[in-house]
Amino acid sequence: MFRGKQTRVLLLNDMERLERTLFRLEQGFELQLRLGPTLQGKSVHVHINYPAPGKKFVSSSFHQLEWVNPSGREDDSDKYCKLDLEIAGSYQYYFGCGNEERTGGGYIVVDPVLRIGHERKILPLDCITVQTYLAKCLGPLDEWLDRLRVAKETGYNMIHFTPLQKLGASRSCYSIADQLELNPDFSSPGKNYTWMDVGNLTEKLKKEWSMLCITDVVYNHTAANSKWIRLHPECGYNLVNSPYLKPAWLLDRALWHFSCAVADGKYSDSGLPPLIENDKGITILQGLLWTEVFSQLKLWEFLQVNVEKNVEQFRKVLQAGNRPAGPELEGKPKLKVIQDSQYRRFSNTVDMQLALEMFGRHTNGPKSIQECCDWFKMSLEELNAECYKEMHSHHEKAINCIVETVCYERLASHGPQLGPVTRTNPLVTRYFTFPFEDMTMEQENQLMQNPNDACHLLAHNGWVMADDPLRNFAEPGCNVYLRRELVCWGDSVKLRYGDKPEDCPYLWAHMKKYTEITAKHFSGVRLDNCHSTPLHVAEYMLAVARQHRPDLYVVAELFTGSEELDNIFMTRLGITALIREAMSAGDSHEEGRLVYRFGGEPVGSFVQPNLRPLVPSVAHAMFLDVTNDNECPILVRSVFDALASTAIVSMACCASGSTRGYDELVPQQISVVKEERLYPKWNPDALPSSVEVNLQTGIMAGKLALNKLHQELAEKGFTQVYVDQLDEDTVAVTRHCPSTHQSVLTVSRTAFKNLETHQYRAHLAPMYIPGKIEEVILEAHTVERKAESYVKDERFINGMPNYTVEIREHIQLKDSEIVKQGDAITEGRSEFVEEIFFEKLTPGSVITFRVSLDPNSQKMVGYLRTQLSQFNRLYKSGSLIDSNVPGILKIALDFLMSKLTLAEMNVLLFLCDAEEQEDGGGCYNIPSWMPLKYGGLQGFVSVLSEIRPKNDLGHPFCDNLRQGDWMIDYVSSRLMNKGGALREVGKWFSAVFIYLKHIPRYLVPCYFDAIIVGAYATAVDAVFNQMSSFVQNGSTLVKQLALGSVQMCGVGRIPALPPLSPELEDVPVRLNSVTKQEEQCCISLAAGLPHFSTGIFRCWGRDTFIALRGLMLLTGRYLEARNIILAFAGTMRHGLIPNLLGQGVTARYNCRDAVWWWLQCIQDYCNVVPNGTDILMCPVSRMYPTDDSEAQPLGTVVHDQPLYVVIQEAMQRHMQGVEFRERNAGPQIDHNMRDEGFNVEAKVNPETGFVYGGNRFNCGTWMDKMGESDKAHNRGVPATPRDGSVVEIVGLCKSAVRWLMTMNENGNFPYSSVTIHRDGTEQSVSYKEWNQRIQENFERFFYVSDDPADPNEQHPELVHKKCIYKDSYGASSLWCDYQLRPNFTIAMVVAPELFTVQRAWEALEIVEKKLLGPLGMKTLDPDDLVYCGIYDNALDNDNYNCAKGFNYHQGPEWLWPVGYFLRAKLYFAKKMGQEKYNESVYLVKNVLSRIYTHLERSPWKGLPELTNENGQYCPFSCETQAWSIATFLEALYDL
């Protein structure tokens, strides 16, 4: 099946340490490491120990990865470094910033590729079916094939051997006497087999039987009787290299002597005979342990100090005249015991220097010396008392542990019931070896003192319940041996590796050789006792193993009790799979849950893209029906459950397996310690009573069929899993193939309880299976047969001969003996369901169906996949050609999309609910959830991109798709109703949806997703093809922001712009659906969605021209930008352009800044567009030829003027002075404004050249919030009147004047000056002169100096922040001039020449520190008294500063000013030098990364108008705002 190149993306975030997160990847994958938001803009270096090409893996050898930046510019959103993963193993990566070496890191695990057979066919990991063998039960090596053939004939493809090495005295499979020697038991008389013979056998199994072999490696311990440990006792924990174990060793010996005394009946008179039979005996034992063992040993003396000796030493120090130097110690210092390194009684000391400081300050003679010594003595006695207490608590714990062990081993019904205490079965297992003759405790004490003997007193291994697996319990500071917490393996010695090979050279070399032998001959290893094996040791050994076998399969059992801790082992060691046990399930429901948990994805899952985020993985499982550690299932459950439970396990989408004996129904646990019998051989002709086995034995025939099925499901891509609990005993597991949509369904009726004692229900409810049942793959049940009853054989491990499996394979449904076919029902047009009645699904029975889609659904899926293959080659598999394919589907969708204009793309992709309603519709609404954000494809894609990665098929969106065709019809009919090229796209959707409607409903969500996502990607590509090279070659962030141009620019049912002059060329037209007349249909720019998207509130002069450069000019939409500029020019009145456009007819001319933004855009148009100055000659159709004329009928050319004339009018009117009262002033146009507020004024100060205007009752700039609250008494009061000369308008005016001056000089603008009438005379002011006046006066009046004596500062008492630029000059409320706001950064961008570089830089630093938020810019200094960062337009109370959103611009963080701040920062940073520029680029990239993150997560795919303080979401903000998107695009362009 075609999968294409698989790429996974890992985001790196500062200080993110993912060492406990498991990332699994396959060979052939590409891993991309990208910068997360916290790192973008920084100088990041990434290192990994994955071997560089041609190099070998060395875990400590890291190399740096190279960065790739596909777009090579702007931001870091696309920058990555990559690895092509070709070698299995565990690899560590880390990254740092600048000079910091490591600020984060983690691990990746690359799975091995396993191969079998002569042709080296790949064995997928989920195909594995493993059977465990106790090697010692296989007999001589020349008989192995006959015994192993059982695994081959029952369909296993992997054999797991317990260790093949020479075993220790206990004969436990995991107690190895010599790691390098093959078990001599495998050599028959006259033969001496070697590892080479074992290798030949494993190779034969691999090539001829297509079976892999793995074996255990045991690194944690060796057999107590290993000869090499006698020669190298330093390899264990002994009393010489680990003297801290001496108290524990003494206790162990004392317990042994006590145990011998109990065995000899010495305490019978005290009530403790050798046979302990009840709780009374336990109580007596507890008392005797205290009196006879613990009290006698006085182990606290190992912790204590010799008081007299230390006091005498202290006295001598004082008598020698030693005194403490320096001042008294602060606080209350405390003496501590310094432990004697050799752990001798009373040999500990204390810090004499500290003792001197504490007790030696007042020594003026013999008497005071004695006093000091007395204080010191008291302190030592207190210390000794604490030591006694500490040892006493260890004793209490030890006695509890001993008593619990004795209760379990001798009294508990579920324990081993060891019987009387003897020397063979002592009271407790010994914790240490004692390779000497019996002796007394006194003699043993002497033994401990002699290093030559003490080195052979070695600690046994074991495990500690609920212990930290990362802690070595035999190391210093861990009192496990003293507290008797170890569940001890008395046949093995714990190995002591130290931290590195140099710490114990012999042991590391020995184990390395052991590892090399294993890796040479086996395809994989099972890490025995993995959770107790020192991690660094296992890491080193596995690296050695992988040098010999790169594709090493590694399995382990982990009993850490925590997935996070499991992951540490998984990631560090590169473990391929964790062993999971079906026997851990207490009922069938839990067993089914394990199947669901251990692999696969839900049926009907979404197709994930080939390039997608790397998400944490769950450990791959090897799911076993039974392990050697489990109790016998036949005894715990019932003999009838064996087949049913193994069927459930076999249906899991992961490796599965069993232990030899399970399939033969051996009715007792096969003990790894005690079992010495041999496995039976394979004999196809054997009789039931024979000790040989074949397919008639136990459930072996059933297991063969299930193993074959397990492998087929994995090979053929049945990766989807559904588990259904039919009743308390019956589990149905479905495996589904997403490319063929074939399913395999196994119904297992478990029998956890004995059939003779438990009443199972007689009738099962019928089952309804969606699709067509092709066949019954198998039906089977366990039956009793006539044979002798089970008798345990002395020589062979035999099963129960009186049970076998009756199985029938590949039969028709009608021939089934277990089920009866009911009706085939068709629900709706696509749900074909078969009804099944269970007639004889008795406990222990299994039936497996192969289910296909019904023929019609199969065809429809095939036709659908053909259409989808134009988006993704993956769908070629399973595709079919429709001979009656509709004509529209013969046309590629990308061709249809290429015919759409960007205005039509606005309809296809976007339109919020208000825009849809304007056209008589609405966004699609999911009744149980919410409406989508857009009617267009983006509305669907936003939801799908949330639910697809999580496969959230239970989401209301998916429910809606499964329940009916409403959503599907909405998508196509919405476009069909639009006409033109959109109708053709609608027809394509309609035709492809016909196929979708005729497939089973459970598949509809994933195929709907594929159609929508494919169409969306095609549309977006077509959008970018119509845009500028800046967008086409830009980063992902640039492209995402550029989509904002399509989002915001549309026509609507009623065009928002007034018509343009008929003389103008290339004006788009359409047929009016009502009048049937041709009408202009220029796009307009919505201010923001959803609040400013339709009607009179769609188009605002200010918003349009702040956004126009970013959204239209930089994206290459020149013609549409021209039309918008000219349309607004046509509505000029009083020298102003409207604030609220209202199609020109209901325009309001109440803003002072829109005209200056408009002029800035004309300047930008001339600079950006090729031959841009041509726009100055374009005709403008004047709606208002004079200030007082009524709106003129449009479409005539009577009042046309070239644009340059209109520009000159605006300049002239301002110099003359604009002063008028709004038409229809009063509540009919603004019910909040006071009467004085309707008076509009905009003039130029002849002295300074500054534009000024407004009054304290109106707000003519972008900060235009008018008070609305009666409760707070702010109605009719502007929150931010900003009257006087406003800094950004002065900057915009300077920019316009400078530009017009230059244009005139270049011959592109006919006017060199403005002419005004003042005091009855005509005066002329040249642009050059005007420009000069602003230049000379700007810093004089706007800069707030840090010099209190600055002659330009008229109101030093109002200065709140120094080294900034005022927000205004000459405001009616003088203190408003001095408020820190972000507006001067706008002036810095449009007229940077006004600013001294150093002053500008300092002011920008203050803005960054005080105003810059996570996404937006605080609109007011947070230190200001009226600052309030939370905007709540619904809150009405008596708070003057906040009621009814009065603080709209008094703190909330607006996004669009950030773009200007970043641009200003970049501009002045260049002037400040390279270092400052580099710092600024980092800042810009970092801010942009947060923008990118927001865009990625926003269902609106836009940037909001504002956020509340510190980036908090504001529910009253527009979700996506034109100028927010535009100014960030401009910043990216500058970058």
Side-chain angles (χ1 to χ4, degrees), residues 1037-1067:
L1037 177 55
V1038 168
K1039 288 186 165 84
Q1040 286 197 351
L1041 288 168
L1043 274 181
S1045 169
V1046 180
Q1047 190 184 82
M1048 295 296 173
C1049 299
V1051 180
R1053 193 169 61 85
I1054 301 160
L1057 295 186
L1060 299 166
S1061 167
E1063 295 289 294
L1064 199 61
E1065 294 179 354
D1066 300 324
V1067 178

Side-chain angles (χ1 to χ4, degrees), residues 1392-1460:
E1393 70 274 15
L1394 291 174
F1395 298 82
T1396 307
V1397 170
Q1398 187 60 41
R1399 286 176 169 181
W1401 186 253
E1402 287 169 5
L1404 285 167
E1405 298 273 79
I1406 292 167
V1407 169
E1408 182 181 335
K1409 184 180 171 191
K1410 301 302 292 185
L1411 302 185
L1412 185 62
L1415 278 186
M1417 184 72 82
K1418 289 179 176 64
T1419 34
L1420 180 63
D1421 181 359
D1423 299 332
D1424 197 291
L1425 289 173
V1426 297
Y1427 170 85
C1428 175
I1430 307 290
Y1431 174 58
D1432 185 345
N1433 202 34
L1435 179 72
D1436 193 8
N1437 58 16
D1438 59 0
N1439 184 334
Y1440 182 87
N1441 292 323
C1442 294
K1444 296 292 281 181
F1446 194 66
N1447 63 317
Y1448 199 26
H1449 304 97
Q1450 301 281 52
E1453 295 166 11
W1454 288 67
L1455 272 76
W1456 78 270
V1458 179
Y1460 277 93

Side-chain angles (χ1 to χ4, degrees), residues 1071-1120:
L1071 206 62
N1072 186 303
S1073 57
V1074 179
T1075 64
K1076 304 299 177 196
Q1077 301 291 309
E1078 208 175 64
E1079 66 178 9
Q1080 290 185 10
C1081 56
C1082 293
I1083 63 139
S1084 60
L1085 230 164
L1089 310 181
H1091 308 315
F1092 306 119
S1093 57
T1094 58
I1096 62 163
F1097 291 108
R1098 177 177 173 85
C1099 270
W1100 300 71
R1102 174 192 304 122
D1103 295 66
T1104 295
F1105 293 110
I1106 291 175
L1108 189 116
R1109 178 175 182 261
L1111 288 189
M1112 307 204 73
L1113 296 179
L1114 297 185
T1115 57
R1117 303 182 71 172
Y1118 304 143
L1119 184 66
E1120 294 151 310

